[in-house]
Amino acid sequence: MRRKKRRRLKWRNIIGLFLFIILIVGGLYGFTVYKSFNKAVATMHEPLNDKKNKVKQTEALKKKEPFSVLMLGVDEREGDSGRSDTMIVLTVNPNNNSVKMLSIPRDTRTEIVGKGKEDKINHAYAFGGVSMAVDTVENFLDIPIDYYVKINMEGFKDIIDTVGGINVENDFAFTVEEVDFPAGQIHLNGDEALTFIRMRYDDPNGDFGRQERQRQVIQAVIKEGASLSSLSKAPDIFQAIGSNVKTNLTFEEMMSIQKNYKEAGKNIEQLTLQSEGKMIDNIYYGLVTIAEQQRIQDEMKSQLEMNSEADF
């Protein structure tokens, strides 16, 4: 079995829109900004109708207990229910001040909970929305998912345009839909950024390369959104976020995370899930061995300080 590759990442590089929303609040002041953010959170809030005890979750954050988040980058276009092109699980532990982040490749074959069959893990969202995606990831990793953040990547361009575009570092030159992306630092507007992150088939790293570009775009949005030049745009930025992001996090919970967990965000470890590509019935899947799945489960459980089956 191949061992996972580990590398330390600076928090700015990877934390994602979830922490962008929280961190920007910690750095912005003024009643207008606070009011517009509160309004955006109310628009974003979309609870899950499941077994989770919301009061218990909120109290756990106040007590600084470890928690998990599923980030879904959903490609929803007109006439299409969409699929979760990006599935990232963050496990946050304030006791060891660290975050472990796992990107689950979209082609990973697993049981789709509630559908009664095995399929690509990203199809869970298409079949049953956020609830089925959460249930399927919980089953695959054998850990509870406390929170979710769903980002509509089609609408994400509005956020990018609102902050005035972004700068990214492109590893290699390529052309998609008659748009040229030269190697090196490039400036992208919203439409160009979407094209940039959607390219997959010409990338030698396949889905992993695509995920890396998505994370780089989110990093750039963090940088632009948190800059002093964007202070005057804060209400517009929050409006764009509110229109394109859904989460079961409440305003109170976001404030608890900003207050109690920000040190953990400085120490992020990216985990890699090893899989083998295989064609089954003329469909490509990523197959994860039982040993590899168990290894990832153990690492995530340790990060969440799960000591027994009773913890889930």
Side-chain angles (χ1 to χ4, degrees):
M1 181 183 70
R2 289 190 293 175
R3 304 295 296 176
K4 67 177 182 294
K5 298 177 182 178
R6 300 182 180 212
R7 59 190 178 96
R8 296 288 178 181
L9 301 176
K10 293 182 179 179
W11 67 273
R12 296 188 191 89
N13 291 346
I14 213 90
I15 202 66
L17 191 59
F18 157 63
L19 287 184
F20 162 61
I21 297 168
I22 295 166
L23 291 175
I24 195 173
V25 169
L28 298 179
Y29 299 90
F31 177 75
T32 302
V33 171
Y34 178 87
K35 184 178 180 181
S36 62
F37 175 73
N38 206 338
K39 183 178 179 181
V41 172
T43 304
M44 291 188 300
H45 187 63
E46 196 169 274
L48 285 174
N49 296 320
D50 58 13
K51 60 185 180 298
K52 293 177 174 47
N53 186 318
K54 195 61 180 174
V55 174
K56 184 178 179 181
Q57 285 181 312
T58 302
E59 289 303 312
L61 291 182
K62 291 180 180 178
K63 295 177 181 177
K64 301 182 182 181
E65 295 180 4
F67 70 94
S68 62
V69 181
L70 172 63
M71 291 183 61
L72 299 169
V74 178
D75 203 353
E76 292 179 315
R77 312 184 196 190
E78 189 174 351
D80 184 4
S81 61
R83 289 185 176 88
S84 51
D85 280 349
T86 301
M87 304 183 82
I88 299 174
V89 178
L90 303 173
T91 50
V92 186
N93 189 321
N95 298 320
N96 60 25
N97 281 328
S98 72
V99 177
K100 290 193 177 182
M101 186 192 75
L102 174 69
S103 293
I104 305 176
R106 51 182 271 168
D107 294 327
T108 301
R109 184 179 173 92
T110 189
E111 177 188 352
I112 306 299
V113 176
K115 199 66 178 176
K117 68 172 186 177
E118 290 194 339
D119 205 333
K120 295 184 180 184
I121 196 166
N122 74 316
H123 286 188
Y125 179 83
F127 290 141
V130 172
S131 182
M132 190 172 286
V134 168
D135 289 344
T136 298
V137 171
E138 284 186 334
N139 183 66
F140 180 69
L141 296 178
D142 197 29
I143 62 170
I145 297 296
D146 300 311
Y147 301 102
Y148 82 90
V149 177
K150 183 185 79 170
I151 306 166
N152 179 8
M153 300 309 292
E154 177 69 22
F156 197 55
K157 63 184 180 183
D158 297 335
I159 301 172
I160 294 171
D161 287 335
T162 301
V163 298
I166 57 173
N167 294 317
V168 298
E169 191 71 27
N170 190 22
D171 291 337
F172 61 93
F174 62 91
T175 300
V176 179
E177 298 176 4
E178 299 183 352
V179 180
D180 295 324
F181 296 92
Q185 188 175 90
I186 53 178
H187 184 81
L188 305 175
N189 61 28
D191 285 322
E192 291 167 341
L194 276 188
T195 303
F196 179 74
I197 62 179
R198 282 173 174 163
M199 191 279 283
R200 178 166 67 133
Y201 297 109
D202 292 333
D203 192 319
N205 292 318
D207 230 14
F208 293 103
R210 185 183 193 188
Q211 291 171 6
E212 184 61 35
R213 287 194 302 279
Q214 287 175 335
R215 289 194 291 267
Q216 190 178 169
V217 166
I218 291 173
Q219 170 204 349
V221 173
I222 295 170
K223 182 178 180 180
E224 291 298 330
S227 67
L228 291 176
S229 62
S230 292
L231 279 174
S232 62
K233 304 175 187 175
D236 292 333
I237 293 173
F238 290 140
Q239 182 178 356
I241 291 173
S243 300
N244 295 294
V245 177
K246 296 297 179 184
T247 180
N248 61 336
L249 279 160
T250 64
F251 182 83
E252 181 183 5
E253 288 168 335
M254 290 184 187
M255 293 302 98
S256 292
I257 291 172
Q258 196 280 327
K259 177 182 178 182
N260 298 329
Y261 296 83
K262 56 186 176 182
E263 288 300 314
K266 299 177 182 179
N267 182 24
I268 301 173
E269 181 181 355
Q270 182 179 356
L271 307 180
T272 299
L273 180 68
Q274 301 292 345
S275 62
E276 180 182 356
K278 186 176 182 179
M279 298 294 293
I280 301 177
D281 295 330
N282 294 320
I283 299 175
Y284 177 86
Y285 294 97
L287 303 184
V288 180
T289 65
I290 294 176
E292 174 69 356
Q293 187 175 3
Q294 185 67 58
R295 179 186 66 81
I296 287 293
Q297 289 177 353
D298 290 345
E299 186 128 24
M300 300 297 249
K301 287 179 180 180
S302 176
Q303 177 72 350
L304 292 175
E305 299 182 1
M306 295 175 61
N307 299 316
S308 68
E309 293 292 331
D311 288 336
F312 187 3

